[in-house]
């Protein structure tokens, strides 16, 4: 996808402008979430033309049936005469007989603001391209032009990583891969631009296009925060990626009714939040830090498994523990380094990640590589049948994040002057700047190169990347004066998830392997009638029984399972929830060595450069 770009840019010359695909987009029924789209395909060979909607979207790994939201599909020739059109499969339309030019017109419905779908509304058109545009098979390498016609007097501007033209609403892409990777926001957004100088390079322009509920003062304050994140991440790599057309764009949509989401793209990110720019600036920053880091890790440092992106089926990658997990780690670490998190707040963030991994049964059965390969079933995937993911899946976001944490702390503790930043810089030089896609074996070799210790590097990948051994987080965090401990010591626990439906206490989904409920044989849908002979009608009844017991106590549990009542014994265990606490907040000594270790790790890197 990326390597194609430089050579294909040469194709976008005026003499070839007529070739390829041109889209005209208008919004006559925005109130009811419809757009009208006309796609013109030119200089076609005589073979039947097949046009289709995508089934996947860059950065989102489940398949999505985007064809379900287009209708009134019609084909005409260059002069406007109707052409026969056959629906060949759920996503594909065929025009068997045609001349050099075919126009396909259709109505698009879209009503979801996130990083994958499209929202057409009087307040904006929030367009993710695979959800919006059908495309022609065989024309993937040809240039694309898109012309928007915003509703009259809507005052919409356009924000996108697409290449602008002299006409304000007309943009181009060198080919289909770039076009599909270029989400576009049309609205009355606030715009801020600033320039960042790369060492030995022309200056790069960064843009914040934010559609929001706040004041221009809120935007300026928020911009200052975003710039801090940018500087801190630039300091890790020593430079920003050489963005195409010299520009990177934050497309941010902060409005009621949005889904919370962030999606990385080659020279932009699209972030949506159901929040307020007035009151939630710092919370919004977390997604910004994650997505901007993707500008290096995923958009330039790219797994071979995702090259090129396939828009017809799910894209599977065994590297998401690195692509997403290491990005997760650096997103939060950047917020600490930029001064948005103190030690206590950063420790809280680590608590969340460690709980998601160490208290997930899947961690003890499957590796980060295997979990990455599950993404097509979990990344905004929908299904009507239940899964056993609670027991066999650990998200590659926290899983990869704690692998990064283990590697960073191991390097800092075991190697003089070596940190995960050094490793990331080595990956950047070998695979990011060069845009040479990587494999897990490449990442392992680079760890050998950086550490000059093949025993350590090979063992780390064998145990924690290809295998599922859990690192000694307690010992590693102690180096930085952070205590990993049980958050609810001595508190009895039966297992998640127990909820209340009406006047019944029910097991709301599959029970977790190893938990008392699981051991006792209870599972999804079972109703707990009584515990320790106390009838249960609500959460208070349940808590009252728990409060009377200690871990290790065995009591009778009576439950209904599909119409039958059963009795068994259940043994309380200690609540497994973990927390990370700075030593100074836990009355544990914080040595000078620990203070220095922590400062080197969590302190700003901007001044170093
Ligand atoms: Zn991500």
């Amino acid at each position: 996808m990326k390597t194609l770009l430089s050579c294909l840019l040469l194709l976008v010359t005026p003499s070839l402008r007529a070739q390829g695909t041109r889209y005209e987009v208008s919004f006559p029924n925005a109130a009811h979430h419809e757009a009208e789209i006309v796609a013109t395909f030119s200089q076609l060979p005589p073979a039947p033309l097949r046009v289709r909607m995508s089934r996947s979207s860059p950065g989102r790994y489940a398949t999505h049936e985007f064809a379900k939201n287009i209708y009134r599909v019609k084909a005409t020739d260059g002069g406007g005469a109707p052409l026969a059109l056959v629906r060949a499969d759920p996503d594909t339309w065929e025009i068997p007989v045609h001349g050099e030019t075919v126009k396909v017109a259709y109505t698009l419905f879209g009503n979801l603001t996130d990083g994958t779908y499209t929202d057409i509304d009087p307040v904006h058109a929030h367009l993710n391209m695979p959800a919006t545009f059908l495309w022609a098979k065989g024309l993937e390498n040809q240039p694309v032009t898109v012309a928007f016609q915003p509703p009259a007097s809507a005052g919409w501007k356009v924000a996108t990583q697409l290449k602008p033209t002299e006409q304000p609403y007309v943009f181009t892409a060198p080919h289909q891969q770039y076009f599909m990777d270029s989400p576009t926001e049309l609205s009355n957004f606030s715009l801020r631009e600033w320039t960042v100088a790369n060492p030995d390079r022309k200056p790069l322009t960064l843009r914040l296009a934010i559609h929001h509920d706040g004041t221009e003062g809120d935007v300026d304050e928020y911009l200052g925060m975003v710039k801090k994140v940018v500087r801190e991440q630039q300091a890790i790599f020593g430079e920003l990626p050489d963005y195409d057309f010299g520009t990177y764009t934050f497309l941010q949509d902060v409005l009621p009714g949005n889904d919370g989401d962030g999606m990385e793209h080659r020279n932009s990110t699209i972030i949506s939040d159901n929040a307020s720019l007035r009151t939630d600036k710092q919370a919004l920053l977390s997604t910004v830090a994650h997505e901007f880091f993707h500008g290096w890790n995923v958009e330039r440092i790219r797994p071979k498994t995702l090259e090129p992106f396939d828009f017809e089926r799910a894209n599977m990658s065994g590297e998401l523990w690195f692509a997403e997990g290491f990005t997760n780690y650096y997103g939060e670490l950047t917020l600490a380094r930029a001064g948005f998190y103190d030690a206590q707040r950063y420790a809280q963030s680590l608590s969340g990640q460690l709980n998601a991994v160490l208290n997930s049964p899947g961690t003890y059965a499957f590796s980060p590589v295997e979990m990455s390969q599950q993404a097509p079933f979990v990344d905004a995937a929908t299904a009507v049948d239940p899964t056993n993911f609670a027991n066999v899946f650990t998200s590659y976001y926290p899983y990869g994040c704690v692998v990064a944490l283990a590697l960073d702390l191991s390097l800092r503790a075991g190697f003089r002057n070596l940190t995960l930043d050094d490793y990331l810089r080595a990956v950047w030089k070998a695979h990011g700047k060069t845009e040479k896609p990587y494999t897990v074996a490449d990442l392992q070799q680079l760890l050998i190169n950086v550490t000059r210790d093949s025993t350590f590097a090979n063992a780390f990948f064998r145990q924690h990347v290809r295998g599922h051994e859990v690192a000694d987080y307690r010992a590693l965090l102690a180096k930085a004066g952070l205590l990993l401990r049980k958050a609810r010591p001595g508190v009895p626990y039966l297992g998640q998830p127990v909820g209340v439906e009406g006047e019944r206490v029910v097991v709301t989904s599959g029970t977790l392997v190893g938990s008392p409920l699981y051991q006792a044989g209870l599972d999804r849908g079972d109703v707990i009638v009584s515990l320790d002979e106390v009838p249960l009608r609500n959460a208070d009844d349940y808590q009252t029984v728990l409060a009377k017991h200690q871990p290790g106590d065995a009591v009778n549990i009576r439950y209904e399972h599909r119409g039958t009542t059963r009795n068994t014994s259940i043994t309380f265990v200690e609540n497994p929830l973990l927390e990370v606490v700075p030593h100074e907040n836990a009355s544990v000594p914080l040595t000078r060595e620990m203070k220095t270790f922590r400062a080197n790790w969590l302190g700003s890197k901007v001044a170093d450069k």
Side-chain angles (χ1 to χ4, degrees), residues 15 48 63 127 288 291 308 329 423 584:
S15 62
T63 51
L127 309 178
V288 164
E291 299 305 330
Y329 176 70
Y423 177 60
E584 61 273 32

Side-chain angles (χ1 to χ4, degrees), residues 289-448:
H290 179 98
E291 299 305 330
F292 192 63
F293 196 83
H294 271 318
W296 292 273
N297 187 23
V298 166
E299 293 303 332
R300 298 299 188 282
I301 301 169
R302 208 158 162 78
K304 208 171 194 167
T305 45
L306 296 180
E307 287 289 299
F309 211 80
D310 189 333
F311 295 106
E312 301 184 50
R313 55 185 61 83
N315 291 256
M316 188 186 80
S317 168
E319 291 81 18
L320 300 183
W321 59 273
F322 184 80
E324 290 298 351
F326 276 50
T327 299
N328 229 19
Y329 176 70
Y330 270 102
E332 292 294 284
L333 182 58
T334 305
L335 294 183
R337 287 180 175 175
F340 295 109
Y341 289 176
D342 60 12
Q344 172 62 29
R345 178 67 189 81
Y346 185 60
Q348 252 174 38
S349 164
L350 292 178
S351 303
Q353 307 285 342
L354 285 164
N355 270 309
V357 177
L358 301 182
N359 279 321
S360 168
T363 301
Y364 304 92
F366 300 101
S367 71
V369 169
E370 291 171 294
M371 294 309 187
S372 301
Q373 293 167 339
Q374 294 283 72
F377 305 121
V378 296
D379 185 32
T382 56
V384 294
D385 59 328
T387 64
N388 198 22
F389 286 153
N391 283 320
V392 299
F393 179 69
T394 300
S395 167
Y396 39 85
Y397 284 87
Y399 207 173
C401 175
V402 304
V403 168
L405 173 70
L407 183 54
D408 200 0
L409 297 180
S410 300
L411 292 173
R412 287 169 187 275
F415 296 85
R416 264 181 94 77
N417 301 323
L418 209 54
T419 75
L420 196 65
D421 295 7
D422 297 301
Y423 177 60
L424 262 285
R425 265 193 299 279
V427 179
W428 167 245
K429 286 204 180 95
H431 295 280
K433 269 183 96 79
T434 57
E435 301 199 37
K436 190 176 158 232
Y438 70 84
T439 62
V440 175
D442 291 328
L443 295 180
Q444 186 167 343
Q445 184 57 49
L446 282 165
L447 190 60
I448 295 171

Side-chain angles (χ1 to χ4, degrees), residues 574-589:
E574 186 176 47
N575 190 310
L577 192 72
L578 299 165
E579 65 178 1
V580 180
V581 188
H583 280 194
E584 61 273 32
N585 298 351
S587 307
V588 178

Side-chain angles (χ1 to χ4, degrees), residues 27-281:
F27 308 95
N29 193 22
H32 300 293
H33 315 297
E34 285 183 338
E36 295 300 326
I37 299 176
V38 180
T40 305
F41 306 101
S42 308
Q43 295 190 11
L44 295 170
L49 177 68
R50 288 172 81 88
V51 297
R52 62 164 297 142
M53 287 299 281
S54 298
R55 299 185 66 237
S56 68
S57 189
R60 181 122 287 151
Y61 299 103
T63 51
H64 298 278
E65 303 298 344
F66 296 123
K68 70 183 178 296
N69 270 336
I70 78 165
Y71 37 89
R72 293 187 202 111
V73 183
K74 292 186 192 91
T76 56
D77 67 12
L83 294 172
L85 177 95
V86 181
R87 193 160 187 166
D89 66 39
D91 315 299
T92 309
W93 288 258
E94 187 173 293
I95 299 102
V97 181
H98 58 82
E100 271 207 346
T101 300
V102 172
K103 285 176 184 277
V104 178
Y106 58 98
T107 302
L108 169 79
F109 175 85
N111 193 199
L112 182 59
T113 295
D114 77 344
T116 302
Y117 290 98
T118 277
D119 193 24
I120 317 287
D121 190 273
V123 302
H124 71 183
H126 175 97
L127 309 178
N128 281 291
M129 301 331 213
T132 306
F133 294 100
L134 54 67
W135 48 276
K137 298 275 283 178
L139 267 57
E140 293 90 336
N141 291 338
Q142 295 196 6
V144 177
T145 301
V146 60
F148 299 104
Q149 294 167 34
S153 72
W156 287 358
K157 296 167 282 191
V158 186
T160 178
Q161 67 170 28
L162 291 168
K163 192 181 184 199
T165 65
E166 299 90 74
Q167 297 160 277
Y169 290 102
V170 181
F171 297 83
T172 64
H175 46 69
Q176 179 229 27
Q177 289 268 325
Y178 191 87
F179 182 68
M180 288 296 171
D181 191 44
S182 303
T184 299
E185 165 85 9
L186 291 94
S187 67
N188 196 4
F189 52 77
S190 299
L191 183 68
R192 300 290 186 274
E193 287 193 353
W194 72 106
T195 304
V196 178
N198 247 355
D200 311 326
R201 279 183 193 282
K202 65 180 188 294
L204 296 167
T205 299
L206 283 86
R207 293 190 296 207
L208 171 67
I210 183 163
H211 185 204
H212 62 97
D213 64 339
T215 63
E216 291 302 304
D218 286 318
V219 176
D220 290 328
E221 193 186 328
Y222 182 64
L223 177 72
M225 297 164 81
V226 171
K227 284 181 176 176
K228 275 190 182 176
V229 170
V230 168
R231 278 198 293 270
E232 207 55 67
Q233 295 193 347
Q234 188 183 4
I236 293 166
F237 293 97
E239 61 185 331
L240 295 174
D242 189 16
Y243 301 122
D244 304 318
F245 320 123
T247 306
Y248 181 90
T249 308
F250 292 94
L251 299 158
Q252 194 155 12
D253 213 300
V254 189
L255 287 179
N258 288 355
D259 262 23
D261 199 11
M263 189 54 73
E264 68 278 6
H265 296 280
R266 188 170 160 87
N267 305 295
S268 65
T269 176
I270 188 155
I271 299 173
S272 61
D273 254 290
N274 181 6
S276 167
L277 185 64
R278 293 171 192 269
T279 52
D280 305 320
K281 294 182 189 70

